[in-house]
Amino acid sequence: MQPSFHSYNGSVGEAFYQLEPYWATDDVNALYPNFDGFNQYIGLFMAATIRQEKYRFSYGRKWTLENMKITDIYLPIKRNEDNSPVIDTSKKYSDEGYIPDWEFMENYIKSLPYGDRLEG
C-alpha cells in the first residue's frame, strides 16, 4: 500500500493519497500507514483531514518533519452504543486510548458523489 504524502515546501499544507508508486523531491514527507486494513478510502479521508490544517503552517511556520511529530490530527473515533468513546488500554493511537473509526472514514468517502467509482 502506498502512503499519503505531504509537501512542506511550495504547496504548503497540501496532502495527497497516492495509490501508485511515485518519485518525490526531498521536500515531500511520505506518511506510511501503520495498521492492517488501511485502504485508499481511508487514505483519501486522512489526506483531506491533513489539508484542513494547512492554515496553521504558512511559509514562516512550515510543517517540517519535526512539526509533524508534534501535530495532532483529529479523526473520528469509535464509540460504544451509549456514545462513550471505545478506549484502547494499550493506547496504540492516542495517549487517551481513543481508536480511530476507520470504518466510518471509509464509508464516508464511499458515500460522496462518485465515491462508488473508486477502485477498492
Side-chain angles (χ1 to χ4, degrees):
M1 187 68 58
Q2 294 297 313
S4 295
F5 66 95
H6 168 78
S7 171
Y8 63 86
N9 218 3
S11 56
V12 174
E14 289 304 322
F16 310 91
Y17 175 73
Q18 179 64 38
L19 185 60
E20 301 297 324
Y22 62 90
W23 288 92
T25 61
D26 67 348
D27 66 342
V28 172
N29 289 324
L31 307 174
Y32 295 93
N34 65 351
F35 66 95
D36 292 332
F38 186 88
N39 59 41
Q40 68 182 7
Y41 304 105
I42 295 168
L44 289 168
F45 187 98
M46 292 182 76
T49 302
I50 291 168
R51 277 194 303 274
Q52 293 297 311
E53 297 298 311
K54 72 190 279 182
Y55 72 93
R56 297 181 192 275
F57 303 101
S58 64
Y59 284 95
R61 300 175 300 171
K62 291 182 181 177
W63 202 30
T64 61
L65 186 57
E66 294 77 25
N67 285 340
M68 285 181 167
K69 290 178 181 180
I70 61 172
T71 301
D72 291 326
I73 301 296
Y74 297 98
L75 299 171
I77 60 171
K78 284 187 152 190
R79 295 190 172 272
N80 294 307
E81 286 186 24
D82 66 357
N83 206 30
S84 63
V86 174
I87 301 297
D88 172 23
T89 56
S90 70
K91 300 183 178 184
K92 179 178 180 178
Y93 298 106
S94 77
D95 293 339
E96 295 82 12
Y98 299 132
I99 303 168
D101 191 342
W102 308 118
E103 185 178 354
F104 171 85
M105 292 181 238
E106 180 175 342
N107 290 336
Y108 179 79
I109 294 298
K110 287 179 177 179
S111 75
L112 295 174
Y114 304 106
D116 60 332
R117 296 187 185 175
L118 297 172
E119 294 179 18

